[in-house]
Amino acid sequence: MRITIPFFVCFFFISCQSSPNSSSNSDSTSLHNDSALSVTDSVSDKQSDTTTTSVPDSFALLSVTNWTIDDFITDKKYRSYEALRNTTAYNKEEWKDVKSPIVATYKGCDVGDYFHLNFEDVNGKTYDFGFGDNNLGEFVLCNEPQFETNHKYLNRTFRIYWNWKITKFPCCDGDYEIVEAYIPSITKLELIVK
């Protein structure tokens, strides 16, 4: 099952092979995305109102308010890639007032132009963690290899701990280059049992 994610990424590499221009001499740190979408199912804790992953929420939400777009894009050869700069600016604006954790309902996953992992809060705001370096813990939200929504969790409410994490993902239009940048990512999930 874990072969499908590398296959999906390889598909983007093979199908779209053009590089954006590079122009920046500033230093950056490059880390690898070792996330996986699929993990085992959860076990309910009968003494609590939540089912939780075993990974602690070990760090505070990064403060990115004063970050420039270049600060988000960790692979400096892509800093001049206009589509990535636009996507990064959009993410920065969309997520600027979002606290961690958030409470939201799982609305499913799908692959259209990109992979989407969607949640919606009570006010109708949608949170898409499709490209995040997500730690889903024990929750299998999407069934591989077709990336279909796991209906066991569809329309179930979660407490979502998230943070800005370095992630590799295909971006952003036309060429779908694999780039590296800080993206909102799930660090811990708790299923809220009603």
Side-chain angles (χ1 to χ4, degrees):
M1 281 193 180
R2 293 190 180 261
I3 284 181
T4 57
I5 292 172
F7 174 78
F8 187 71
V9 171
C10 286
F11 171 76
F12 279 103
F13 273 117
I14 293 168
S15 64
C16 307
Q17 298 240 343
S18 77
S19 293
N21 297 329
S22 63
S23 68
S24 179
N25 293 328
S26 44
D27 192 15
S28 69
T29 303
S30 178
L31 298 177
H32 297 285
N33 175 6
D34 295 324
S35 69
L37 282 176
S38 179
V39 289
T40 59
D41 240 352
S42 65
V43 178
S44 195
D45 178 358
K46 296 186 193 286
Q47 296 177 337
S48 170
D49 70 338
T50 62
T51 301
T52 184
T53 61
S54 60
V55 179
D57 182 33
S58 59
F59 51 91
L61 191 59
L62 285 177
S63 176
V64 298
T65 305
N66 296 323
W67 283 21
T68 67
I69 298 305
D70 285 346
D71 293 329
F72 284 91
I73 304 170
T74 58
D75 190 341
K76 60 184 168 185
K77 72 181 178 185
Y78 292 107
R79 288 186 177 160
S80 65
Y81 190 13
E82 194 61 32
L84 176 58
R85 295 184 72 75
N86 291 339
T87 297
T88 302
Y90 175 82
N91 282 338
K92 181 181 179 185
E93 181 64 26
E94 282 296 302
W95 290 83
K96 71 178 180 182
D97 296 323
V98 179
K99 306 294 183 210
S100 181
I102 56 177
V103 174
T105 302
Y106 177 55
K107 293 300 182 180
C109 65
D110 66 84
V111 179
D113 53 344
Y114 296 110
F115 174 71
H116 301 279
L117 184 64
N118 295 314
F119 293 84
E120 185 178 295
D121 70 15
V122 294
N123 298 319
K125 181 171 175 65
T126 300
Y127 304 94
D128 185 354
F129 291 97
F131 284 145
D133 179 7
N134 298 316
N135 175 8
L136 302 179
E138 300 179 29
F139 301 100
V140 179
L141 299 180
C142 297
N143 296 315
E144 293 187 42
Q146 296 85 9
F147 297 104
E148 294 174 343
T149 299
N150 181 349
H151 291 277
K152 176 178 179 179
Y153 298 113
L154 186 63
N155 295 318
R156 301 287 304 270
T157 303
F158 288 86
R159 185 170 293 112
I160 305 165
Y161 295 84
W162 73 276
N163 214 331
W164 294 94
K165 291 176 69 179
I166 297 173
T167 305
K168 290 184 179 182
F169 59 99
C171 183
C172 290
D173 56 9
D175 296 336
Y176 294 102
E177 290 283 330
I178 300 300
V179 298
E180 187 175 274
Y182 281 89
I183 295 291
S185 301
I186 297 171
T187 58
K188 179 175 142 182
L189 275 180
E190 295 175 347
L191 177 63
I192 297 176
V193 180
K194 296 179 181 183

